Amino acid sequence: MSDSPAYAAYKRRIHRNLAFYGLGLAAFFLLMAWAERQGLSRVWLGPIFLFSTVMIYAAIGIYGRTSDASEYYVAGRRIPPMYNGMAAAADWMSAASFISLAGGLYLQGFSGTEAQPGGLAYVLGWTGGFCLVGLLIAPHLRRLNLYTVPDYFDVRFGGRWPRLIAAFAAVLCSFTYVVAQIYGVGLIASRLTGVQFEIGILLGLGGVLLCSFLGGMRAITWTQVAQYIILLLAFLIPVSWLAYKQLGNPLAPLVYGKQIEKITEIEKVLRDSPAERQVRRVWERREKEYEARLQDIEGALRRDRAAALERVRQLKARDADSALIVAAARELAALPKTPASARELWTRAMADAHERAKPLGGLPPHGQAFAGDPQGTPQEQQAFETSRLNFLALVFCLMVGTAGLPHLLTRFYTTPTVSEARSSVAWSLFFIVLLYLSAPALAVLVKFEVMQGLVGSSFDALPSWIGQWAKVDPALISITDVNGDHILQFSEIRIAADIVMLVTPEVGGLPYVVSGLVAAGGLAAALSTADALLLTISNSLVRDVYCHEVRRDVPPEQRVILSKFALLGVAMLAAFVAALKPADILPLVSASFSLAASAFVPVMVLGIFWRGATRAGAVAGMLGGLGVTVYYMLANSPAVRAFLGLEAGSVLWFGILPVSAGVFGVLTGFAIALVVSLATRGGD
């Protein structure tokens, strides 16, 4: 097929369509830039970007609609390698990569601390994982002409349990992943349009469903190609602009090293600044106050309620402004309802105050290679070992997790041949590297801009974007005059990783049209991954569970219809969970990698490269690996510990953070699968 004249004509038609799309996109961006210069309000620019890009994706989704099973599940297996690589890159550049990766590097530096693995771990782990996919997994799975990842376990091991466990694991890790994407969609839609976060989720969800509901993998593939072009421009334009502004050279990855030296010098000044020391002392005092509250939770909660009630009563008694009364009533309503919730809340607040009482507001020096000192005191040596171990553990989890993510592996089912599956992996790496080389540069340039342009400003002259983002969610950005000097100190700024990329144009003073483009890029990244994840979940539920366990004689057309309605139901459930804001994007995505790594990779690799792997070994290995990973995550979850009445804190093995729980799961899965397979050889 790949050498036929019809396929060559098909590729020429795609090249022509891509060229027209690129020209149209450039014309639209220039039109918006011209409109802004002519005075078009920002109130209109944001919704225009949101509406226009979603309509482009919707048009592609409608054009690519299908009820053919092969087209719906694997895009007819005729996607050329370069376009499959672009789609895989868009699939891969999720909200975590586009929105939060630069934020992780901004907050955690390159190699982190004892409590943070470091932003460079994400770059190395995610990129290295693609090498594992290309070398070990993708070509072999493509050769088997499968439709889903659980299909592999069915074909290789037979029986019902390997397939059922694989389907459950695919749903679990994909659902965790898709909640993070829909959270990102809500964040951007809310900021662009000014609507509430929950309504923003529904707006973005409409775009997701228009693409994946109608056309399955075929529509998603071409939508992802279109989304990749947008997110590439959205990432490279602001980082190039900032590099040119600060260094006179737009090639950010080549020149940003000079800014690291300047940031290091600024960090030394900030550490010794009297005003910064004053802020740190205030945070130390607050940490002690929370510590005292936790000594007598019920008494402290009772006093807080009494004080809040008395404030409301006094305001009403003197007929104060209704806004003040409402604000006081909200403070009263926001108090913890039970001692357990108070313990959880105050424990987190104490930990936050503890971090912010450190120099630089708890952020590690940006150029530091691991915390502590290998030649220092025993405590410093321990800190160095722990931070290095967590860095390596996260790199391992992300690499191995990449090789096990169902929605990513399914992407390589869509090429005509095995060799083109390999080529598309190489194209994917190329398109991903274009952005990943720029992410560390972006983090450094934004931090320099904050340190030079924002720190030292008067609180009366802060830029308007700070308040606008705080309206979306106060947890995204917090700037408080802690020491009361009316001058902004570095330790008084709290920016969430999820918005560092999105505020880059505003921090750098770029035209608002660039902010619209960046938001459209973030939306494209989140939508592209959400589409693929929802399709993976619905296919697992219908093809791997319903059509095997409930009703086997379902015609292909009915399977497609069932998959579409399953996708709709899962999307609504994921939107509901995302609206609860269970966690930030990076931790949710990292957790899904650990789950995928431990559930799939050990048994999949053994099944491919070792004939001795048995069905019993596969079942035991998958359950053991997944069980250990889930246990480690739950045992160290503050919410779970508070719910079970356990003491606050963590029970870490070898000091490894829960975000890297997959380390234990993968090793356990390999060991159990190997031992049980050896013990049951000849029994399958």
Side-chain angles (χ1 to χ4, degrees):
M1 176 185 177
S2 59
D3 298 328
S4 68
Y7 191 61
Y10 171 69
K11 287 197 286 189
R12 283 197 298 274
R13 190 167 69 251
I14 296 171
H15 295 332
R16 188 177 63 244
N17 291 343
L18 184 68
F20 283 134
Y21 171 72
L23 291 173
L25 203 60
F28 171 73
F29 182 71
L30 292 174
L31 178 65
M32 289 296 100
W34 174 81
E36 184 181 6
R37 290 180 66 87
Q38 296 303 310
L40 182 63
S41 169
R42 296 182 175 189
V43 175
W44 288 104
L45 275 173
I48 289 174
F49 263 100
L50 176 69
F51 179 79
S52 302
T53 52
V54 170
M55 284 302 103
I56 290 172
Y57 311 146
I60 296 173
I62 293 169
Y63 180 75
R65 66 188 183 281
T66 181
S67 57
D68 179 84
S70 175
E71 293 285 350
Y72 186 85
Y73 290 120
V74 290
R77 300 194 200 278
R78 55 178 180 148
I79 304 299
M82 186 182 83
Y83 294 99
N84 203 52
M86 291 176 76
D91 199 336
W92 189 239
M93 298 298 294
S94 64
S97 292
F98 187 93
I99 299 175
S100 302
L101 179 58
L105 284 156
Y106 176 97
L107 295 175
Q108 302 175 19
F110 288 130
S111 48
T113 64
E114 295 166 276
Q116 300 283 356
L120 204 58
Y122 294 96
V123 178
L124 295 177
W126 283 335
T127 308
F130 254 90
C131 297
L132 292 181
V133 171
L135 293 172
L136 300 182
I137 308 292
H140 183 83
L141 295 187
R142 174 62 189 87
R143 191 177 295 118
L144 297 175
N145 286 328
L146 307 171
Y147 284 93
T148 65
V149 169
D151 275 349
Y152 166 76
F153 294 88
D154 192 21
V155 170
R156 171 62 180 83
F157 298 105
R160 63 187 302 205
W161 288 110
R163 173 179 39 75
L164 277 178
I165 297 169
F168 170 75
V171 171
L172 181 63
C173 66
S174 298
F175 189 80
T176 308
Y177 207 146
V178 81
V179 167
Q181 306 312 308
I182 293 179
Y183 174 81
V185 168
L187 204 64
I188 295 167
S190 174
R191 175 67 181 90
L192 274 180
T193 61
V195 300
Q196 287 185 345
F197 174 75
E198 292 77 6
I199 298 175
I201 283 180
L202 294 178
L203 287 175
L205 198 61
V208 175
L209 294 176
L210 279 172
C211 301
S212 48
F213 183 79
L214 295 174
M217 184 61 89
R218 185 169 78 172
I220 287 174
T221 298
W222 298 118
T223 307
Q224 287 175 333
V225 170
Q227 288 165 336
Y228 178 78
I229 302 293
I230 291 179
L231 67 88
L232 180 69
L233 293 174
F235 205 93
L236 294 186
I237 287 178
V239 70
S240 302
W241 193 312
L242 274 181
Y244 183 75
K245 176 186 173 185
Q246 294 180 16
L247 298 158
N249 188 334
L251 301 176
L254 301 181
V255 298
Y256 79 98
K258 294 177 183 175
Q259 300 307 79
I260 296 179
E261 297 172 10
K262 295 177 185 175
I263 286 175
T264 302
E265 292 302 317
I266 297 173
E267 286 172 345
K268 288 178 184 174
V269 174
L270 291 174
R271 280 171 176 271
D272 299 330
S273 162
E276 292 285 343
R277 289 175 183 271
Q278 191 180 20
V279 172
R280 295 205 293 269
R281 284 195 291 273
V282 175
W283 286 118
E284 287 172 2
R285 192 162 61 244
R286 291 186 183 180
E287 179 190 358
K288 290 176 182 173
E289 288 172 0
Y290 282 115
E291 188 178 9
R293 287 186 180 195
L294 289 168
Q295 300 298 319
D296 178 18
I297 295 174
E298 293 187 5
L301 195 55
R302 195 164 50 248
R303 290 191 292 275
D304 283 356
R305 282 180 185 152
L309 278 170
E310 178 61 20
R311 176 169 165 71
V312 173
R313 191 192 64 76
Q314 288 182 359
L315 287 170
K316 288 181 177 176
R318 66 170 187 256
D319 198 20
D321 188 275
S322 58
L324 291 175
I325 297 175
V326 170
R330 284 179 179 169
E331 287 180 12
L332 173 62
L335 286 173
K337 301 292 185 294
T338 64
S341 59
R343 181 190 292 111
E344 182 191 349
L345 180 68
W346 293 343
T347 300
R348 277 194 278 115
M350 184 177 70
D352 181 60
H354 176 75
E355 287 299 314
R356 299 184 72 170
K358 295 177 181 176
L360 303 175
L363 304 190
H366 204 91
Q368 172 182 277
F370 305 117
D373 182 356
Q375 309 299 327
T377 64
Q379 291 79 11
E380 290 173 331
Q381 291 180 20
Q382 181 63 42
F384 179 83
E385 291 297 332
T386 303
S387 64
R388 186 170 64 172
L389 187 62
N390 274 299
F391 180 87
L392 295 174
L394 185 59
V395 170
F396 175 83
C397 284
L398 297 176
M399 283 183 70
V400 180
T402 300
L405 281 177
H407 76 284
L408 188 65
L409 296 177
T410 310
R411 163 57 51 204
F412 299 102
Y413 293 178
T414 60
T415 57
T417 64
V418 174
S419 65
E420 291 189 85
R422 286 197 178 93
S423 298
S424 71
V425 173
W427 278 111
S428 306
L429 267 174
F430 170 74
F431 289 123
I432 289 169
V433 164
L434 286 179
L435 275 75
Y436 272 19
L437 285 178
S438 299
L442 182 76
V444 168
L445 296 172
V446 170
K447 183 173 276 189
F448 182 79
E449 202 70 35
V450 169
M451 288 176 160
Q452 287 291 86
L454 200 58
V455 173
S457 302
S458 166
F459 267 80
D460 298 328
L462 292 178
S464 60
W465 59 265
I466 294 174
Q468 290 162 357
W469 273 106
K471 280 183 184 175
V472 176
D473 185 349
L476 295 174
I477 186 164
S478 164
I479 291 184
T480 311
D481 189 10
V482 175
N483 61 348
D485 63 355
H486 302 294
I487 301 297
L488 181 61
Q489 311 300 331
F490 188 73
S491 301
E492 293 174 331
I493 305 172
R494 202 63 161 178
I495 301 179
D498 294 342
I499 64 165
V500 169
M501 176 65 207
L502 299 175
V503 302
T504 293
E506 290 156 316
V507 169
L510 274 62
Y512 189 75
V513 69
V514 181
S515 297
L517 179 64
V518 169
L523 193 66
L527 290 177
S528 61
T529 309
D531 282 331
L533 290 163
L534 289 172
L535 189 67
T536 298
I537 296 171
S538 62
N539 289 348
S540 291
L541 292 174
V542 174
R543 280 190 62 86
D544 301 315
V545 178
Y546 181 80
C547 295
H548 280 84
E549 301 297 322
V550 180
R551 186 182 164 195
R552 287 179 171 271
D553 58 344
V554 182
E557 293 77 13
Q558 286 190 19
R559 291 188 183 193
V560 171
I561 294 171
L562 287 172
S563 293
K564 290 182 177 183
F565 282 100
L567 186 149
L568 184 64
V570 173
M572 298 306 294
L573 180 61
F576 172 75
V577 176
L580 300 176
K581 302 176 185 175
D584 291 340
I585 293 173
L586 269 183
L588 280 173
V589 170
S590 302
S592 70
F593 275 75
S594 279
L595 293 169
S598 56
F600 293 118
V601 176
V603 172
M604 191 180 284
V605 170
L606 287 176
I608 292 173
F609 296 101
W610 183 40
R611 291 187 177 182
T614 66
R615 185 188 311 159
V619 170
M622 293 169 77
L623 288 177
L626 190 61
V628 167
T629 300
V630 172
Y631 167 78
Y632 196 69
M633 288 178 177
L634 294 180
N636 289 290
S637 164
V640 173
R641 296 187 73 84
F643 178 76
L644 297 176
L646 300 175
E647 187 179 348
S650 303
V651 185
L652 301 180
W653 298 342
F654 308 103
I656 291 180
L657 297 168
V659 73
S660 304
V663 168
F664 305 111
V666 170
L667 297 178
T668 304
F670 264 119
I672 292 178
L674 194 64
V675 170
V676 176
S677 291
L678 288 173
T680 57
R681 289 184 74 172
D684 281 358

